[in-house]
Amino acid sequence: MVSYKSIGNGLVTGVHCVVRAGTSAATAKTVGLVSECSIRKQVQTQRAEVVGEMLPVSIDPTGISVNITFRGFVLKKGVSFGDMYTPIEFNPDDDSMIQSQRVGKIPYIEIYDKNSNTILGATEWAVITSFEESVNKQGYVSINCSFEGIGFLNGTDYPTTALYQ
């Protein structure tokens, strides 16, 4: 294993990272023109508070929620970005949702480091929770998408800590 002190390029840099989506890691395609992204896991907890005690006697997990957000740019009509998704494609069709009374789910979304061919983190079965288009006179048209997914895992190249007991 390389020590971060022995090499100047020891950190992952955002310029090498992309968002990818698909049915699995093997079939995931890049989402083009994403300018920023995040995946956030939040653990819901239950506190056991006892009369006469200032601090809880226990804090226990009761659930996990995962939120994915990315912002990207809109291509002009007729411009192709090759074999990639574009952020505007993530806006589900309202009529389809109303007719079926359900929202489609994206089976797999990941943050991927192209420089080292490594999955940094991924989630599954993402459901869109918000879709926003932003326009201002001084910049490009951008899209902001938010999703809720099931589970958030580090890529297989990254260990999980033995710290939790």
Side-chain angles (χ1 to χ4, degrees), residues 8-64:
N9 192 13
L11 298 175
V12 175
T13 55
V15 71
H16 298 294
C17 293
V18 294
V19 175
R20 299 191 328 168
T23 56
S24 68
T27 64
K29 295 190 318 186
T30 299
V31 180
L33 300 181
V34 169
S35 61
E36 56 188 91
C37 62
S38 67
I39 300 179
R40 179 177 187 237
K41 175 171 34 179
Q42 187 168 342
V43 178
Q44 289 79 38
T45 59
Q46 176 67 45
R47 298 165 55 108
E49 296 179 355
V50 178
V51 174
E53 296 291 330
M54 288 291 289
L55 299 173
V57 295
S58 181
I59 300 174
D60 297 305
T62 60
I64 297 172

Side-chain angles (χ1 to χ4, degrees), residues 138-158:
Q138 297 170 332
Y140 298 105
V141 177
S142 62
I143 300 287
N144 192 24
C145 300
S146 295
F147 305 85
E148 188 167 341
I150 298 177
F152 175 45
L153 302 170
N154 292 345
T156 56
D157 292 327
Y158 289 95

